[in-house]
Amino acid sequence: MKANIKAISYYLPESILSNELINQEFPEWEIEKISSKTGINSRHISADDEFSSDMAVKAANRLFEEHNIDKSTIDFLLFCTQSPDYFLPTSACIIQERLGLNTSIGALDFNLGCSGFVYGLSLAKGLISGGMAKNVLLITAETYSKFIHPKDKSNKTIFGDAGAATLITSEKGFCELDNFVFGTDGKGAENLIVKQGGLRYPVSNENEDISDEFGNVRNDKNLYMNGTEIFNFTGEFVPQLTNSILEKSNLSKEDVDLFIFHQANKYMLNHLRKKIKISEEKFFIAMEDCGNTVSSTIPIALYEAQKQEKLTAVSNVILAGFGVGYSWAACNLIFNQ
């Protein structure tokens, strides 16, 4: 049984952190420098009392309303987040109740970052292909801003909060999910991490702030990213990932109409595009007004590509997610069914 993406919607919090506001706080960060390096002009930041489940519910309700979807047809809920409301219960169970979905559905959380949307699509396809579900609601939502130290100017310029909802169905959609490839290398786990908060390292109130060579401040309950190692990781593995999905799908780069990668930052994306030798017109970027929203970057970009009519005359689209874990995944979408 085929699995198809039928609809996507997303939600961005009301509060906006612009480059102008960052410059006011950190005058050494010039507005134009932030924009040119990151490709981001502003990011949306969740309110103090707004969490991943709240954004998930808002994104899903927007999906139902925007695309006239009967929520009673949903028979499985997948929720991807690394910033859950609680250790337990499962956030997906809370979201099911708040959305008023049937109690006969399956619901689960899975913890992945920038590769999470592609992994979620693969799980949805497996459920549908195995006859266990017909309509899977995949939601991605993150509040990374709550992990970032107020004086960590580097991470502050990159990450924004968001939620995205995608309906994957056995019925006809705007594209079919075809092949998938995956990768995992846990040796890079400590290069992108929130060390405290789990059971191994509970949150401590006695943390001392430390400052790096660039003046970024953080402690062990904040998000830490080793930018150099993450950049090296993507440069090594993303080209291999792209070649693997092309080979598995029996496609050449010329056969692909659009590449949509995880929207990490403009500098990294342009480096990857040039290294893989993808033309600019085939490489879609949509992060200017929302930043790096982790697992929601690809569905947001897909939504914007569809809105800008970039998907009206295409046959093959490649999605690739990569990051924290290290974890990576890619798939190809078939259009013109």
Side-chain angles (χ1 to χ4, degrees):
M1 189 179 297
K2 293 181 178 180
N4 307 285
I5 298 179
K6 190 168 186 177
I8 301 173
S9 292
Y10 67 89
Y11 164 81
L12 300 175
E14 291 183 10
S15 178
I16 296 175
L17 178 62
S18 65
N19 291 347
E20 288 78 10
L21 289 173
I22 292 176
N23 174 253
Q24 288 175 23
E25 189 174 0
F26 306 100
E28 67 275 20
W29 267 113
E30 297 176 5
I31 296 170
E32 181 55 37
K33 182 180 179 182
I34 299 172
S35 300
S36 61
K37 187 172 183 179
T38 65
I40 303 165
N41 292 332
S42 60
R43 331 99 192 100
H44 291 249
I45 306 299
S46 55
D48 290 344
D49 60 350
E50 185 175 38
F51 302 96
S52 60
S53 70
D54 301 312
M55 296 197 303
V57 168
K58 290 171 183 175
N61 279 327
R62 184 165 292 179
L63 179 82
F64 299 149
E65 295 165 9
E66 191 173 9
H67 301 282
N68 194 28
I69 293 168
D70 180 1
K71 62 184 178 182
S72 70
T73 62
I74 303 298
D75 48 15
F76 214 102
L77 169 62
L78 298 172
F79 182 48
C80 177
T81 189
Q82 295 189 310
S83 50
D85 291 24
Y86 310 103
F87 279 125
L88 55 96
T90 302
S91 295
C93 295
I94 296 170
I95 295 167
Q96 172 273 331
E97 191 274 334
R98 290 181 61 186
L99 287 175
L101 302 180
N102 293 330
T103 57
S104 58
I105 74 168
L108 61 86
D109 293 359
F110 64 102
N111 180 330
L112 279 175
C114 309
S115 65
F117 180 70
V118 180
Y119 267 85
L121 291 178
S122 74
L123 295 174
K125 179 178 180 178
L127 289 166
I128 291 171
S129 299
M132 292 172 280
K134 292 182 179 180
N135 295 293
V136 179
L137 176 60
L138 169 62
I139 307 177
T140 55
E142 290 292 357
T143 56
Y144 260 39
S145 68
K146 298 186 190 302
F147 296 140
I148 298 173
H149 193 286
K151 294 184 179 180
D152 184 351
K153 59 185 178 182
S154 180
N155 283 327
K156 210 169 188 178
T157 63
I158 296 172
F159 293 101
D161 299 332
T166 304
L167 179 63
I168 302 97
T169 177
S170 59
E171 299 175 357
K172 186 174 181 180
F174 66 82
C175 67
E176 177 191 344
L177 301 176
D178 194 27
N179 295 302
F180 287 82
V181 292
F182 308 96
T184 307
D185 188 352
K187 74 180 181 184
E190 292 190 356
N191 290 324
L192 188 47
I193 189 171
V194 179
K195 189 171 184 179
Q196 292 185 2
L199 296 180
R200 184 176 292 275
Y201 296 102
V203 172
S204 170
N205 293 321
E206 299 178 358
N207 288 304
E208 290 188 13
D209 287 346
I210 55 174
S211 179
D212 65 19
E213 59 185 307
F214 304 106
N216 299 298
V217 179
R218 57 172 294 277
N219 59 57
D220 281 346
K221 64 182 179 183
N222 301 132
L223 176 70
Y224 167 72
M225 180 167 65
N226 185 327
T228 300
E229 289 300 320
I230 296 297
F231 186 83
N232 292 339
F233 150 68
T234 60
E236 179 180 359
F237 286 98
V238 177
Q240 296 177 22
L241 174 67
T242 306
N243 289 333
S244 294
I245 189 62
L246 289 173
E247 182 178 350
K248 188 170 185 179
S249 304
N250 196 27
L251 296 171
S252 68
K253 280 182 287 189
E254 291 69 33
D255 295 324
V256 179
D257 302 291
L258 203 65
F259 292 83
I260 301 179
F261 284 10
H262 162 57
Q263 309 286 288
N265 63 70
K266 184 179 179 180
Y267 181 80
M268 180 182 288
L269 287 172
N270 279 331
H271 172 76
L272 290 172
R273 180 185 65 77
K274 292 173 184 177
K275 187 167 186 176
I276 302 170
K277 298 181 180 179
I278 302 172
S279 62
E280 281 191 71
E281 58 269 20
K282 286 189 174 186
F283 198 76
F284 190 74
I285 298 178
M287 60 187 302
E288 188 177 79
D289 299 317
C290 62
N292 180 338
T293 56
V294 196
S295 56
S296 292
T297 67
I298 295 177
I300 288 174
L302 259 177
Y303 179 98
E304 292 299 324
Q306 190 174 40
K307 184 179 178 181
Q308 296 175 31
E309 298 185 348
K310 300 284 187 180
L311 305 180
T312 54
V314 302
S315 297
N316 299 292
V317 172
I318 296 293
L319 307 182
F322 43 86
V324 57
Y326 296 138
S327 172
W328 59 97
C331 68
N332 72 303
L333 308 179
I334 300 175
F335 287 72
N336 299 330
Q337 299 175 69

